[in-house]
Amino acid sequence: MSELREKMRKKRQKERLTVLVAFLLSLSLILVLMLLLFFKSQNAQQPDKQPAAIGTEAMSDQKPEAVTIETPSSLEADPPTPSGIVSENEPEETPESTTLIFTGDVLLSGYVLDNYNAGGIDGVLSPELLTEMTNADITMINNEFPYSLRGEQAPDKQYTFRIDPKYVSVLSDMGVDIAGLANNHVLDYGKDALLDTFETLDRAGIDYVGSGDSFDRASALITKTVHGKTFGFLAASRVIPVVSWDITNAAPGVFTTYDPAKLCAAIEQARSQCDYLTVFVHWGIERSEFPESYQRVLAEQYIDSGADLVVGMHPHVLQGISYYKDKPIFYSLGNFIFNQSIPQTALLKVTIAADNTPTFQLLAANASGAKTSQLEGEEKLAVYRYLESISTDISINEDGIVSH
């Protein structure tokens, strides 16, 4: 009997111990949950803290370097970037503008080549002009001669030019991208010399326009894409010595504009293929500072057909400027690189903004000792005042900016 009571007592103790352990475990769980809720509520009331920069000691006396923190765009007041992330202190990118450079007639005469052989391109152009040409997005010149060692001199022609193809390096050194070949000298030494010219420019990576081995090539639009915009260039000549130079009569040959219909058709077709269209035209009377009436008529027809800019050459001197339907016509930029002396000329710099708004700037220059240099001070202003005097409804400020 006593053994039974002892067993019952031990059983009750064991049951009480089990209940106590269960109670203590439940109490511990409740306390842990209460502590978690407490710390969570405390953190919710505290502002977020930026993590310490990696490698920075907490007790350092030096101030930590500034860091850029990328923040989700939903927390920013400014509109998000396309990526959805805004970086503090990072300025918004502005759309880029495009710079076009145009020059007048270029002839690598013996005087010019002597300078080049002695001092390289620095003997031909001043540093300021060279910088403008090489920094431009697109640079275009009128190439007033063929590159060849072949061919026969054109008969009964007062001036005939031909340059060794190795000197195409002059154009490369100047940063030329496009050579206009619609003029009255590219066939001075016949068809073989003109074909050599095409090959020489192709090898140098320089596009040519206004001449070719077929009508389609001679009248072809040349395009360049810069900053997502397409810039188009066409060239034609209103001056050739004989009709056989016309590409419609013989090939290779020159795209001409005695009858403007073909050039106007090319302009209309080109209009839909580019954002900004320049027409390069050889016309006028040599040494005449005023354009012929036909130049004005043709220019207006080109603009009516879709040209944004008309640039002329051939007179070997500066001619005036006019506007038609808010589009500029530069009738002649004169000689740019030629013989020993050029009293006054100008490089045309066109800056096209992202919205296609153009700014036109003339950089006045002259040549002495067969080197073309940019003018400054009173000499520069004298060129601008002269151009204003022979132009229609334009002004040129001291920086050469042309206003209508």
Side-chain angles (χ1 to χ4, degrees):
M1 192 70 179
S2 60
E3 291 178 358
L4 179 61
R5 282 197 297 271
E6 182 65 18
K7 288 182 179 179
M8 292 295 293
R9 187 180 64 80
K10 289 182 178 180
K11 182 178 179 182
R12 285 194 296 271
Q13 286 180 343
K14 185 176 181 181
E15 288 175 349
R16 285 195 291 270
L17 181 61
T18 301
V19 171
L20 179 62
V21 170
F23 173 78
L24 291 174
L25 288 173
S26 299
L27 182 62
S28 299
L29 181 61
I30 291 170
L31 289 173
V32 168
L33 290 174
M34 290 177 67
L35 286 172
L36 288 174
L37 290 173
F38 174 80
F39 285 115
K40 184 175 181 181
S41 64
Q42 287 294 102
N43 288 338
Q45 296 175 15
Q46 295 295 324
D48 292 338
K49 296 182 179 180
Q50 300 293 351
I54 295 175
T56 303
E57 296 182 5
M59 300 302 292
S60 172
D61 292 332
Q62 296 180 347
K63 295 182 179 179
E65 294 182 1
V67 293
T68 300
I69 305 298
E70 291 187 340
T71 309
S73 59
S74 60
L75 300 181
E76 293 293 320
D78 295 328
T81 61
S83 64
I85 299 296
V86 175
S87 177
E88 295 177 5
N89 302 324
E90 183 176 332
E92 295 182 5
E93 290 188 8
T94 56
E96 294 187 73
S97 59
T98 303
T99 302
L100 315 179
I101 293 289
F102 300 96
T103 79
D105 297 330
V106 171
L107 170 65
L108 303 183
S109 65
Y111 303 109
V112 173
L113 292 181
D114 285 344
N115 285 356
Y116 185 72
N117 290 332
I121 196 62
D122 292 337
V124 177
L125 285 177
S126 69
E128 299 84 2
L129 291 176
L130 183 59
T131 297
E132 292 286 353
M133 296 181 73
T134 55
N135 285 354
D137 293 297
I138 304 170
T139 295
M140 183 174 183
I141 67 161
N142 177 48
N143 198 98
E144 192 90 6
F145 56 87
Y147 291 96
S148 183
L149 297 175
R150 299 194 298 160
E152 295 183 4
Q153 187 175 11
D156 304 321
K157 195 168 187 291
Q158 184 177 8
Y159 299 107
T160 55
F161 308 133
R162 180 180 60 176
I163 302 300
D164 189 324
K166 71 180 182 181
Y167 286 114
V168 73
S169 60
V170 178
L171 270 60
S172 298
D173 290 349
M174 291 192 298
V176 173
D177 299 292
I178 306 174
L181 297 182
N183 57 59
N184 59 319
H185 285 288
V186 292
L187 276 161
D188 277 356
Y189 279 79
K191 296 179 181 180
D192 287 342
L194 183 52
L195 290 172
D196 288 346
T197 301
F198 302 155
E199 182 181 350
T200 298
L201 292 169
D202 282 339
R203 283 201 311 267
I206 298 171
D207 284 317
Y208 60 89
V209 63
S211 186
D213 56 6
S214 67
F215 177 81
D216 287 345
R217 179 62 185 89
S219 61
L221 171 73
I222 296 297
T223 61
K224 300 281 188 181
T225 301
V226 183
H227 303 143
K229 292 185 178 294
T230 301
F231 298 86
F233 305 87
L234 289 167
S237 181
R238 176 60 171 66
V239 183
I240 55 173
V242 290
V243 295
S244 62
W245 285 32
D246 192 318
I247 190 62
T248 60
N249 297 321
V254 176
F255 185 35
T256 67
T257 185
Y258 286 91
D259 177 357
K262 291 183 175 63
L263 178 54
C264 288
I267 294 170
E268 290 172 0
Q269 183 178 359
R271 180 66 275 172
S272 62
Q273 301 177 47
C274 52
D275 298 292
Y276 196 85
L277 178 59
T278 299
V279 175
F280 220 50
V281 58
H282 213 72
W283 58 7
I285 303 298
E286 292 186 356
R287 307 301 171 188
S288 174
E289 63 185 1
F290 295 102
E292 300 296 297
S293 60
Y294 81 76
Q295 291 174 253
R296 298 182 184 276
V297 172
L298 289 177
E300 292 179 4
Q301 289 178 307
Y302 303 151
I303 291 172
D304 284 336
S305 298
D308 294 301
L309 169 65
V310 178
V311 180
M313 68 288 306
H314 174 66
H316 300 298
V317 294
L318 291 172
Q319 289 188 339
I321 306 158
S322 68
Y323 275 74
Y324 174 70
K325 295 184 176 178
D326 292 325
K327 305 291 179 65
I329 306 156
F330 293 82
Y331 287 100
S332 174
L333 295 179
N335 289 338
F336 184 65
I337 296 173
F338 223 80
N339 287 321
Q340 290 199 74
S341 176
I342 303 172
Q344 53 187 16
T345 185
L347 181 151
L348 173 60
K349 180 178 182 179
V350 185
T351 304
I352 313 292
D355 63 358
N356 253 29
T357 302
T359 300
F360 304 96
Q361 181 182 19
L362 290 167
L363 304 179
N366 69 4
S368 176
K371 179 176 180 177
T372 303
S373 301
Q374 188 169 337
L375 295 175
E376 297 295 341
E378 291 301 320
E379 289 182 310
K380 173 186 72 173
L381 296 177
V383 174
Y384 297 157
R385 300 295 83 82
Y386 169 72
L387 277 168
E388 287 178 332
S389 72
I390 61 173
S391 300
T392 305
D393 297 330
I394 66 107
S395 63
I396 306 173
N397 72 12
E398 61 183 11
D399 295 319
I401 303 298
V402 178
S403 301
H404 182 202

